[in-house]
């Protein structure tokens, strides 16, 4: 059914059905209105904060376990608010560690090897000397 009129015509698309309304009358068809598709995609969430520990090559290796990353972040935030000790213990596989976030050091509790910790998003600026 088509109705003619000299007034304004509005076309909308809902669930792939096109509806045309004209001054008090309307007509519908089952045709797809591809030019009226709206995308509801949102950008991906930001990457979670990732801590790192100093490796034998002098760089930092990321800590991949997100639970440990969150534990370290929460502990650091509590310490900065004055409500936490700044130390936390955690295990990765068969290895147990103690992190001292005042000193930013991770200690392997079995071998007593200490490594520097780097908090997420910390910018590392290389130091160069010029003589």
């Amino acid at each position: 059914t088509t109705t003619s009129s000299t007034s304004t015509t509005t076309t909308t698309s809902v669930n792939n059905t096109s509806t045309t309304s004209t001054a008090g009358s309307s007509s519908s068809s089952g045709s797809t209105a591809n030019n009226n598709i709206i995308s509801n995609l949102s950008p991906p969430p930001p990457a979670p904060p990732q801590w790192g520990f100093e490796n034998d090559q002098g760089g930092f290796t990321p800590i991949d376990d997100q639970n440990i990353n969150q534990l370290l972040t929460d502990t650091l935030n509590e310490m900065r608010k004055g409500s936490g000790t700044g130390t936390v213990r955690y295990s990765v596989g068969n290895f147990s560690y103690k992190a001292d976030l005042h000193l930013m050091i991770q200690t392997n509790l079995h071998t007593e090897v200490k490594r520097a910790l780097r908090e997420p998003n910390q910018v590392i600026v290389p130091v160069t000397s010029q003589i």
Side-chain angles (χ1 to χ4, degrees):
T1 305
T2 303
T3 304
S4 304
S5 177
T6 56
S7 58
T8 306
T9 301
T10 304
T11 302
T12 59
S13 176
V14 178
N15 297 330
N16 294 329
T17 301
S18 178
T19 302
T20 304
S21 300
T22 306
S25 64
S26 66
S27 65
S28 295
S29 69
S31 65
T32 303
N34 289 333
N35 59 346
N36 292 331
I37 296 173
I38 299 174
S39 174
N40 288 328
L41 298 177
S42 58
Q50 196 166 32
W51 286 75
F53 63 89
E54 186 177 23
N55 58 37
D56 293 333
Q57 291 74 37
F60 283 85
T61 299
I63 297 173
D64 293 327
D65 186 309
Q66 291 309 310
N67 291 323
I68 293 172
N69 277 285
Q70 192 61 55
L71 177 66
L72 291 169
T73 298
D74 291 347
T75 302
L76 182 65
N77 289 337
E78 289 172 9
M79 180 190 79
R80 287 180 173 162
K81 291 177 189 174
S83 61
T85 64
T87 60
V88 65
R89 292 175 185 248
Y90 54 92
S91 295
V92 178
N94 294 327
F95 301 100
S96 295
Y97 299 95
K98 176 184 174 186
D100 182 332
L101 301 181
H102 289 283
L103 301 174
M104 294 304 279
I105 300 249
Q106 169 185 277
T107 305
N108 181 311
L109 295 175
H110 179 71
T111 65
E112 297 186 16
V113 171
K114 296 180 186 303
R115 296 181 184 268
L117 281 172
R118 183 182 70 191
E119 65 182 289
N121 306 320
Q122 184 179 18
V123 177
I124 305 298
V125 178
V127 177
T128 58
S129 61
Q130 296 184 6
I131 301 175

